[in-house]
Amino acid sequence: MSPPLLPRHVTAVIKCQRDPIKALEIFNSMKKVNAFKHTLSTYRSVIEKLGLFGKFEAMEEVLVDLRQNLGNHMLEGVYVGVMKSYGKKGKVQEAVNVFERMDFYDCEPTVFSYNAIMSVLVDGGYFDQAHKVYMRMRDRGITPDVYSFTIRMKSFCKTSRPHAALRLLENMASHGHGCEVNVVAYCTVVGGFYEEGMKAEAFELFGRMLGSGVSLCISAFNKVLHVLCKKGDVKECEKLLEKVIKRGVVPNLFTYNFFILGLCQRGELDGAVNMVGCMIEQGPKPDVVTYNNLICGLCQSSKFQEAEFYLGKMVNQGLEPDRFTYNTLIAGYCKSGMVQLAEKILGDAVFNGFVPDEFTYRSLIDGLCHEGETNRALALFNEAIGKGIKPNVILYNTLIKGLSNHGLILEAAQLASEMSGKGLVPEVQTFNILINGLCKMGCVSDADGLAKLMISKGYFPDVFTFNILIHGYSTQLKMENALEMLDVMLDNGVVPDVYTYNSLLNGLCKTSKYEDVMETYKTMVEKGCAPNLFTFNILLESLCRYRKLDDALGLLEEMKKKNVNPDAVTFGTLIDGFCKNGDLDGAYTLFRKMEETHKVSSSTATFNIIIHAFTEKLNVTIAEKLFQEMVERCLVPDGYTYRLMVDGYCKTGNVSLGYKFLLRMMEDGCIPSLTTLGRVINCLCVEDRVYEAAGIIHLMVQRGLVPEAVNTIFDVDKKEVAAPKLVLEDLLKKSCITYYAYELLFDGLKDKRLRKKKGLTVVAM
């Protein structure tokens, strides 16, 4: 006869189950076994298992059964566990309902129940409600313990009030009838200071904690470590870890995982890889979280091959990749435009038992839309629905945005209208995506109409809606509409941001006098909106256009006072303003001060502005020195730089250098305009240098700079003869060469000896 099954045996079996439904079946099957009766421990084990996996309907049914079979006065621990289960899944209201029903079921809540619900409320961001629960506890004469105060400190820290948390920490003894401060309370406040960037106060309090003699534990210390590692502050972590190790605290797996997270956040991937290597060799052995942190860091730095390597290493060590592992790799590949590789990872993952979720499909749909594969994205969306994925608003918005970005507004709008039929309520962001898509297509009036429709349906536009419309009208230079939209925005209590004003200023800069631009800027500052670099660059463009150079320089000083650092665009605008005003000395001085005083590096565009100014004044000597300086600084001249130099030499009669720069330009892969080519050809022909001029024509043929008619000739020999003549005729037709040059070259190109000679010359060039 086999020994009878005891409740502790059933409890152990239920706790071992990985499938909550299987655990429930075992629990229910035991009801049919004679002489077996469920106890509090068996009920508790199955309730905890169901709550852990979010099977709340089944959990509530077991809870009803529990109340009917056991005394309610014994169930506080169960109710506390149920509240925590709801809280971990973000179901705050359900947790509150459990707490409020305890009195109804004759289970008097003690400090443990109050602590549980306060913790759920604080973690969910319901700080005022948590305070009310605390006051209710005090009113009922229940004495708070150290955990009650720690939860309140956590609430203060989460609402950016670490000093209030510190005062409570220091006064705990008097408030709590002599309860002792523990390491968790200290670490909560230390973490609060670090969260707010108050490193000195945090480090000082950490030292006080060590000096107070409280019993240290690694789990409390890890919470502080987690705060710092999320910010990537590994150096501060090392300082704190050194202190606790001296007091005999040994780092555990969580400590190493947080360090790897911090190193990845900081971009120190070599350090993270080395730490994982040390863990493999010396312990503690890495777990799934270890590898997930490293894979996530590698993907963020686009090191996908290394990430796949560690995925393989993870599997080889007997660890099972989870949703986060696969989704991180898939999302990384999709964001980098490598959807095919993402699909390969997905295929391998599905083979290993992974079931794609909403996040997986969202990443793939977003990646396909970025690659212009909108049809495939739509097909994948329908496939997801067919496989039982319940699409949410975010998934819909991802596809709607992808379609809108490719001008498929009708399809996007149809998809948005389908949302209501699926029981989903479109968000303001959904309308914003459609409005933005219409504005990008130039249909700003239609976008405005959609915004009005949005209001009629009970959705009120936010700052992004107004910004899209204002930017759309400003881009079309319809400033009356843009300013009218600003008035509507202000009348409805929506506060404009710097993007709003920058759009307006940019439009006004192109359509209005500088006084209107400066007036709008003045309003912006008065409204408390801080200008950024883009704002100042727009203002400088407006002032320089109207040659208000003293005001422009004054604005440069204002930037300094407002701690806005100028960039190459700022100085490029100013230098261009001085050049157009004829003040070349002022422009050159500013060009030099740019790096010497303001520490702003010159760019190719900046050099182009100053070179253009000197070539316009026919001062090619300085222009050539600037060109040489540019090359020595490893700044790559572009087509415009070469064109300026070629034009400058041709205008000053130095045809040889103009010809030399043209050839160099083409050797560097820049494609000269027909005007530039024609200018050099004309100058060479004036000097009767027909061979070089004809060489340019042949070079144009070699580089494919030919009219469309050339490409219609398929016979190679005929093409070789006809192409130069067609190029020559095209240059004349477009007024790029003179008739004199045309006649000279037309005869020259007939000369077979010239063609042979030029064949050699072109190669030599």
Side-chain angles (χ1 to χ4, degrees):
M1 185 177 174
S2 60
L5 277 173
L6 299 175
R8 60 189 173 87
H9 299 144
V10 177
T11 300
V13 171
I14 289 170
K15 284 183 177 179
C16 289
Q17 297 305 309
R18 302 181 74 177
D19 183 353
I21 303 303
K22 182 68 176 173
L24 181 61
E25 287 172 359
I26 293 168
F27 176 84
N28 288 331
S29 67
M30 291 308 298
K31 292 179 183 178
K32 300 171 185 176
V33 176
N34 292 330
F36 182 85
K37 190 175 181 180
H38 281 300
T39 63
L40 182 61
S41 66
T42 56
Y43 273 109
R44 193 168 188 167
S45 63
V46 76
I47 285 169
E48 285 176 356
K49 181 67 69 175
L50 292 167
L52 179 65
F53 286 89
K55 304 295 181 183
F56 295 118
E57 285 185 17
M59 182 186 75
E60 288 288 349
E61 288 175 6
V62 176
L63 206 53
V64 170
D65 188 43
L66 170 62
R67 289 195 202 100
Q68 292 171 350
N69 291 295
L70 294 175
N72 278 302
H73 63 283
M74 303 165 55
L75 304 185
E76 184 183 19
V78 177
Y79 287 128
V80 167
V82 170
M83 282 187 270
K84 288 179 178 177
S85 294
Y86 275 126
K88 285 174 183 175
K89 299 295 181 181
K91 294 182 174 289
V92 179
Q93 186 57 56
E94 287 82 349
V96 171
N97 292 342
V98 172
F99 176 75
E100 295 295 351
R101 287 201 303 263
M102 285 178 69
D103 280 332
F104 178 78
Y105 292 119
D106 298 324
C107 182
E108 185 71 27
T110 67
V111 67
F112 302 110
S113 298
Y114 280 99
N115 286 349
I117 195 61
M118 281 194 294
S119 181
V120 168
L121 288 166
V122 169
D123 288 341
Y126 296 91
F127 307 111
D128 292 339
Q129 289 85 339
H131 176 70
K132 287 174 183 175
V133 171
Y134 173 77
M135 296 307 295
R136 179 169 148 190
M137 179 176 77
R138 297 301 297 255
D139 290 342
R140 289 197 173 187
I142 298 171
T143 304
D145 60 11
V146 64
Y147 298 105
S148 314
F149 289 116
T150 303
I151 293 162
R152 283 180 63 72
M153 289 174 209
K154 187 178 181 182
S155 177
F156 289 138
C157 291
K158 281 197 163 195
T159 50
S160 304
R161 294 182 291 165
H163 287 102
L166 179 60
R167 285 194 297 273
L168 182 57
L169 180 74
E170 292 168 342
N171 297 326
M172 257 180 69
S174 59
H175 279 87
H177 299 284
C179 67
E180 291 185 7
V181 181
N182 63 14
V183 67
V184 178
Y186 266 113
C187 285
T188 299
V189 183
V190 170
F193 277 115
Y194 274 126
E195 195 74 66
E196 296 303 312
M198 301 176 183
K199 290 171 71 171
E201 292 94 328
F203 192 73
E204 189 267 333
L205 182 61
F206 191 79
R208 276 170 54 189
M209 177 188 78
L210 296 178
S212 68
V214 298
S215 177
L216 297 176
C217 73
I218 193 64
S219 60
F221 171 71
N222 282 344
K223 289 181 180 178
V224 177
L225 211 63
H226 189 213
V227 172
L228 287 167
C229 288
K230 282 192 297 183
K231 292 173 173 282
D233 196 347
V234 182
K235 288 185 178 178
E236 190 75 9
C237 290
E238 289 171 350
K239 279 169 61 180
L240 299 183
L241 186 61
E242 187 181 347
K243 282 181 171 291
V244 297
I245 287 173
K246 285 179 181 177
R247 284 166 172 76
V249 177
V250 180
N252 62 11
L253 179 60
F254 293 100
T255 317
Y256 284 101
N257 284 349
F258 289 142
F259 258 100
I260 290 164
L261 173 68
L263 289 165
C264 290
Q265 291 281 36
R266 197 177 174 82
E268 296 179 10
L269 295 173
D270 290 340
V273 166
N274 290 337
M275 186 169 282
V276 172
C278 290
M279 288 172 72
I280 292 168
E281 291 177 10
Q282 302 170 16
K285 293 297 179 186
D287 64 357
V288 173
V289 176
T290 317
Y291 283 106
N292 280 353
N293 286 341
L294 181 58
I295 287 168
C296 186
L298 291 166
C299 286
Q300 284 172 351
S301 298
S302 300
K303 295 188 174 182
F304 300 113
Q305 285 187 332
E306 292 92 327
E308 282 201 53
F309 170 77
Y310 281 99
L311 173 65
K313 206 170 185 67
M314 177 182 181
V315 173
N316 291 338
Q317 290 187 356
L319 296 170
E320 190 176 327
D322 59 12
R323 291 181 183 278
F324 184 87
T325 322
Y326 288 123
N327 281 337
T328 299
L329 268 165
I330 290 165
Y333 274 128
C334 288
K335 284 175 184 174
S336 299
M338 294 182 274
V339 181
Q340 282 186 330
L341 292 172
E343 288 172 330
K344 178 182 173 295
I345 292 288
L346 178 61
D348 294 343
V350 169
F351 181 77
N352 291 323
F354 170 68
V355 179
D357 57 12
E358 181 267 332
F359 185 87
T360 319
Y361 283 107
R362 195 199 318 164
S363 299
L364 289 165
I365 287 167
D366 189 47
L368 287 168
C369 287
H370 274 105
E371 290 188 359
E373 298 273 3
T374 50
N375 288 333
R376 283 187 65 201
L378 273 165
L380 190 64
F381 178 80
N382 293 325
E383 180 191 312
I385 295 171
K387 288 186 175 179
I389 297 291
K390 290 184 179 178
N392 56 21
V393 175
I394 300 171
L395 184 59
Y396 265 102
N397 284 350
T398 302
L399 184 54
I400 290 167
K401 185 178 180 181
L403 294 170
S404 298
N405 286 343
H406 288 88
L408 301 171
I409 292 295
L410 291 175
E411 290 85 342
Q414 186 181 350
L415 203 62
S417 65
E418 284 177 12
M419 289 174 69
S420 302
K422 300 282 185 182
L424 296 170
V425 181
E427 297 175 343
V428 173
Q429 188 189 354
T430 314
F431 287 98
N432 286 348
I433 292 166
L434 292 168
I435 290 166
N436 191 39
L438 286 166
C439 286
K440 282 183 176 178
M441 291 171 66
C443 307
V444 186
S445 299
D446 294 331
D448 199 343
L450 182 58
K452 289 182 173 68
L453 177 66
M454 167 185 170
I455 295 167
S456 70
K457 287 181 176 289
Y459 298 90
F460 194 77
D462 59 12
V463 66
F464 300 106
T465 321
F466 285 110
N467 282 350
I468 292 163
L469 290 167
I470 288 170
H471 179 74
Y473 278 125
S474 298
T475 303
Q476 292 187 347
L477 306 181
K478 294 179 179 178
M479 298 315 298
E480 285 185 15
N481 300 81
L483 290 166
E484 184 184 325
M485 196 59 64
L486 177 66
D487 291 336
V488 174
M489 190 177 185
L490 293 167
D491 291 342
N492 287 283
V494 181
V495 181
D497 59 13
V498 68
Y499 185 86
T500 320
Y501 284 109
N502 284 349
S503 296
L504 283 167
L505 289 168
N506 201 25
L508 289 168
C509 178
K510 292 174 173 63
T511 60
S512 308
K513 292 181 180 179
Y514 78 94
E515 290 93 347
D516 296 330
V517 177
M518 297 309 293
E519 189 63 35
T520 305
Y521 170 67
K522 186 180 175 184
T523 305
M524 173 186 178
V525 175
E526 285 172 356
K527 294 281 184 184
C529 183
N532 61 13
L533 177 61
F534 189 61
T535 317
F536 283 110
N537 285 346
I538 294 167
L539 297 174
L540 287 169
E541 184 185 343
S542 180
L543 289 168
C544 289
R545 181 176 291 172
Y546 284 91
R547 303 194 176 185
K548 298 287 180 181
L549 299 178
D550 290 339
D551 292 341
L553 290 172
L555 202 64
L556 194 63
E557 288 301 313
E558 189 177 336
M559 287 176 74
K560 189 177 178 182
K561 289 176 186 175
K562 291 186 182 290
N563 293 319
V564 179
N565 296 320
D567 64 354
V569 176
T570 313
F571 282 99
T573 305
L574 279 167
I575 292 164
D576 189 49
F578 274 91
C579 291
K580 285 176 178 173
N581 200 38
D583 187 359
L584 237 63
D585 291 338
Y588 190 77
T589 303
L590 196 60
F591 177 73
R592 291 303 174 197
K593 276 187 178 179
M594 176 181 171
E595 291 192 350
E596 293 168 8
T597 308
H598 297 276
K599 310 299 179 189
V600 176
S601 299
S602 301
S603 64
T604 300
T606 323
F607 271 97
N608 283 350
I609 291 165
I610 199 78
I611 288 171
H612 177 252
F614 281 108
T615 53
E616 280 288 300
K617 293 290 182 181
L618 304 182
N619 193 338
V620 188
T621 307
I622 294 180
E624 188 175 0
K625 286 179 181 176
L626 287 165
F627 181 89
Q628 199 57 40
E629 182 185 336
M630 183 181 177
V631 174
E632 286 168 3
R633 288 191 183 191
C634 298
L635 290 170
V636 181
D638 58 16
Y640 183 64
T641 322
Y642 281 113
R643 196 195 94 189
L644 291 172
M645 296 303 299
V646 170
D647 288 356
Y649 284 124
C650 289
K651 285 177 184 176
T652 53
N654 197 336
V655 184
S656 295
L657 280 173
Y659 177 55
K660 174 187 164 187
F661 263 85
L662 179 68
L663 295 180
R664 181 174 172 180
M665 176 183 185
M666 294 178 82
E667 284 169 8
D668 287 348
C670 296
I671 300 172
S673 66
L674 294 180
T675 306
T676 305
L677 290 160
R679 190 186 294 276
V680 177
I681 289 167
N682 284 334
C683 291
L684 288 169
C685 287
V686 167
E687 294 188 359
D688 205 29
R689 295 164 65 176
V690 184
Y691 289 157
E692 288 93 337
I696 293 173
I697 300 292
H698 285 286
L699 202 54
M700 287 174 69
V701 173
Q702 286 179 14
R703 298 295 171 90
L705 300 174
V706 295
E708 191 59 38
V710 174
N711 297 322
T712 62
I713 304 169
F714 298 105
D715 187 287
V716 176
D717 294 331
K718 287 181 180 178
K719 192 172 186 176
E720 187 183 349
V721 174
K725 292 179 182 178
L726 290 170
V727 168
L728 191 64
E729 286 172 6
D730 188 55
L731 288 169
L732 180 66
K733 191 188 298 180
K734 292 176 178 174
S735 304
C736 296
I737 59 171
T738 62
Y739 194 74
Y740 172 76
Y742 171 77
E743 282 190 319
L744 205 62
L745 284 169
F746 190 81
D747 293 334
L749 290 170
K750 287 180 180 178
D751 191 338
K752 290 183 180 179
R753 289 173 302 169
L754 181 66
R755 284 209 300 274
K756 285 179 183 176
K757 191 170 183 180
K758 286 322 300 165
L760 293 169
T761 310
V762 170
V763 173
M765 287 171 195

